[in-house]
């Protein structure tokens, strides 16, 4: 039987411990995991596309449990990328009921676009169920401590970005 390849897609602006929790869970189930960093035209990201790909790669490379996980930037449709890399599964995280409606819509659309790919939803450890990239950015920009929510390299990158913005 062929190896089962799964994609964990997202904006990762920036990658958080909640994302890492989902990626680790995916690794326990699937033979190969690809983290796909998307452009996401509807969000105004703190980090641009290349920065997000780079930062996500650095974080994943630092995690001992994630050896073998690939990080790729994707510019087109997720389902096309899935076809290209022969992935049968797309993994998403479900934090609360509030995530459900959007995910359901995405799942039906993805199914219309590519019948071969299945969406799989995983719940994070409860302590991450309130965590999102947006809330991390809010806390950070208001001077709060984010060290429990993101890896150290992310804090460094956020501090650097803040300095750049301040000029
Ligand atoms: P997107 O813009 O595609 O939603 P995100 O980077 O915000 O990208 O999220 C990517 C995926 O990671 C989504 O499936 C989201 O539900 C999941 N995710 C984000 N934060 C968490 C968390 N704290 N716990 C579980 N899943 C999460």
């Amino acid at each position: 039987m062929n190896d089962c390849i799964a994609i964990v897609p997202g904006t990762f602006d920036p990658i958080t411990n909640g994302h890492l929790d989902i990626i680790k869970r995916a690794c326990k189930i699937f033979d190969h995991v690809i983290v796909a960093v998307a452009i996401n035209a509807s969000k105004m990201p703190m980090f641009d596309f290349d920065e997000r790909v780079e930062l996500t790669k650095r974080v994943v490379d630092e995690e001992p449990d994630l050896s073998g996980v690939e990080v790729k930037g994707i510019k087109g449709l997720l389902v096309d990328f899935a076809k290209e890399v022969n992935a049968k599964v797309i993994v998403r995280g479900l934090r609360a009921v509030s995530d459900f409606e959007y995910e359901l819509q995405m799942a039906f659309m993805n199914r219309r676009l590519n019948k071969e790919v299945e969406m799989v939803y995983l719940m994070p450890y409860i302590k991450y169920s309130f965590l999102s990239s947006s809330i991390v950015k809010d806390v950070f920009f208001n001077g709060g401590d984010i060290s429990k929510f993101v890896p150290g390299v992310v804090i460094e990158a956020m501090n650097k970005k803040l300095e750049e913005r301040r000029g």
Side-chain angles (χ1 to χ4, degrees):
M1 222 176 80
N2 287 340
D3 277 358
C4 188
I5 302 170
I7 300 173
V8 183
T11 309
F12 302 103
D13 185 47
I15 183 163
T16 69
N17 293 342
H19 289 122
L20 284 171
D21 178 284
I22 296 300
I23 299 166
K24 285 177 190 170
R25 285 174 202 279
C27 287
K28 287 189 200 155
I29 308 171
F30 302 105
D31 299 308
H32 187 61
V33 170
I34 304 173
V35 175
V37 181
I39 291 204
N40 203 334
S42 61
K43 288 188 179 175
M44 281 271 288
M46 172 179 184
F47 293 99
D48 70 25
F49 177 65
D50 292 334
E51 289 170 332
R52 282 183 282 120
V53 174
E54 178 60 31
L55 187 57
T56 307
K57 258 190 194 144
R58 279 172 59 204
V59 169
V60 166
D61 286 350
E62 265 192 0
E63 286 288 321
D65 303 348
L66 297 183
S67 60
V69 170
E70 276 183 274
V71 176
K72 297 226 156 123
I74 55 164
K75 293 203 162 156
L77 275 178
L78 178 59
V79 285
D80 291 342
F81 176 70
K83 236 180 240 166
E84 200 181 297
V85 296
N86 205 19
K88 295 278 174 285
V89 177
I90 293 171
V91 175
R92 298 280 294 175
L94 270 189
R95 286 162 287 198
V97 180
S98 49
D99 279 340
F100 182 76
E101 204 160 317
Y102 173 69
E103 293 299 336
L104 191 67
Q105 216 178 2
M106 274 244 304
F108 286 136
M109 180 52 86
N110 283 340
R111 191 178 283 163
R112 267 196 96 132
L113 296 168
N114 179 354
K115 279 191 220 53
E116 302 304 315
V117 73
E118 285 300 335
M119 305 289 297
V120 169
Y121 298 91
L122 300 175
M123 281 72 168
Y125 194 35
I126 197 152
K127 70 177 173 184
Y128 300 132
S129 62
F130 66 93
L131 193 58
S132 67
S133 300
S134 325
I135 211 158
V136 165
K137 285 180 279 188
D138 277 353
V139 173
F140 174 78
F141 284 121
N142 287 294
D145 178 12
I146 54 166
S147 59
K148 296 258 186 321
F149 311 133
V150 291
V153 287
V154 171
I155 302 181
E156 278 167 32
M158 289 176 89
N159 279 324
K160 204 167 144 219
K161 182 63 72 184
L162 191 63
E163 276 166 31
E164 276 170 26
R165 281 190 184 176
R166 283 180 177 154

